[in-house]
Amino acid sequence: MQWDHSEQAAVNVKFLSLLKKPCEELEQLKPSEVAPKMKRIINLIYTIWANNHHYSSNEKISDLVLMVCDCQHQFARWEDGHQRPLPIFSGSQGPEFSSALLEIECSFHLSLQKLRSCDKAILDILNIKWCSEFNKFCVTVNDLEMMMQTLITSIFSTVFSVEEGVRLLDIFEPLSTREAMKRTLQEKAEEVFNMFKKQLRMVLDQTNKNISFPEQLPQVADVVQYIRDSKHSLARPLEVLWKAGLLSEVCTGEQVLYTHSQTTQFLEEMERKTFADWSQNLEVQYLKRLEQPLMVRCKDNITKLDLNFDK
């Protein structure tokens, strides 16, 4: 068995040494010069995968080239050779959240720098420094993952609109490839979806009640405006949820779509009925008011005149 491990190590060193020179060249390049050189490296990786049976599985070859890159994408906002802009968090705690995110990124870069400092030991099977630093790197990443979960929970506790919730889900989407973070983000997506369900229930409850408006406001116009505002308050967040794909990810998505459709139909019918009732009463109502004097004498003082609108 010991001979098998030695043989495996020797074969791995032989094949991995193919990547040494191209990677050293890659290290000297500017970000804008990286893309043309990647084709050769990818071809070499494929050669290793095709000819070395120790790396002849998708899992192993993925672990070989992707873990550190994935972590940079997840914890340091790196994407396609560029760092994504720092997210802007709303509310009075926004600056605090930004500082916490930068602290996580700083810890990640520090750990990555330590790992990079022993890169020459990667192909030395007798040197355990690389393995030791890589294990420390993995521990750090796990700690940062827990810190990020706590931060995300704190950020979402300040969210009160579907639009803001979806925006934050998009910001933290790169983390969803990690299993623990995926569960956390799924929970937050459910919370955002529940915001819309709550808003939908509120509209339903209001439409089932006798809505009263201040007497000094035009009654018919207020009803119509309320109906249109209610439809608009549901249309925008629904559009945001639809574009984000959340409606297909939650189990109650179809039911909520049906409820929204029924509510919208009810509001539209309510608007049509309000207009029809107003139209039918319009002629008689205003003919009668034409017979009404615009001004009358005050009851308290007959020497004065008082307005007689809508009396």
Side-chain angles (χ1 to χ4, degrees), residues 232-251:
H232 179 74
S233 70
L234 297 176
R236 175 57 183 165
L238 181 66
E239 180 185 3
V240 172
L241 289 171
W242 184 269
K243 289 182 177 179
L246 292 184
L247 290 173
S248 59
E249 293 179 7
V250 294
C251 58

Side-chain angles (χ1 to χ4, degrees), residues 199-291:
Q199 192 172 352
L200 185 57
R201 285 195 301 269
M202 288 177 61
V203 172
L204 280 171
D205 291 342
Q206 286 295 324
T207 53
N208 289 329
K209 296 178 181 178
N210 291 324
I211 307 170
S212 60
F213 299 96
E215 293 183 358
Q216 67 270 23
L217 298 178
Q219 297 298 300
V220 175
D222 265 7
V223 171
V224 173
Q225 188 61 49
Y226 164 78
I227 293 171
R228 293 180 177 180
D229 288 345
S230 297
K231 289 194 296 182
H232 179 74
S233 70
L234 297 176
R236 175 57 183 165
L238 181 66
E239 180 185 3
V240 172
L241 289 171
W242 184 269
K243 289 182 177 179
L246 292 184
L247 290 173
S248 59
E249 293 179 7
V250 294
C251 58
T252 57
E254 291 187 4
Q255 178 60 42
V256 169
L257 278 176
Y258 175 77
T259 304
H260 173 266
S261 176
Q262 294 295 102
T263 303
T264 301
Q265 290 180 18
F266 177 80
L267 290 171
E268 290 174 348
E269 181 59 33
M270 184 178 175
E271 183 177 356
R272 284 192 293 268
K273 184 177 184 303
T274 301
F275 179 77
D277 292 344
W278 176 78
S279 299
Q280 291 174 2
N281 297 326
L282 182 62
E283 184 175 355
V284 175
Q285 177 184 5
Y286 280 94
L287 283 175
K288 183 177 180 181
R289 289 190 178 184
L290 286 176
E291 301 173 0

Side-chain angles (χ1 to χ4, degrees), residues 127-146:
N127 192 335
I128 64 170
K129 184 178 180 181
W130 163 259
C131 291
S132 177
E133 287 300 329
F134 186 75
N135 288 335
K136 291 179 182 178
F137 174 78
C138 292
V139 170
T140 299
V141 168
N142 288 335
D143 291 341
L144 294 179
E145 184 176 51
M146 289 187 287

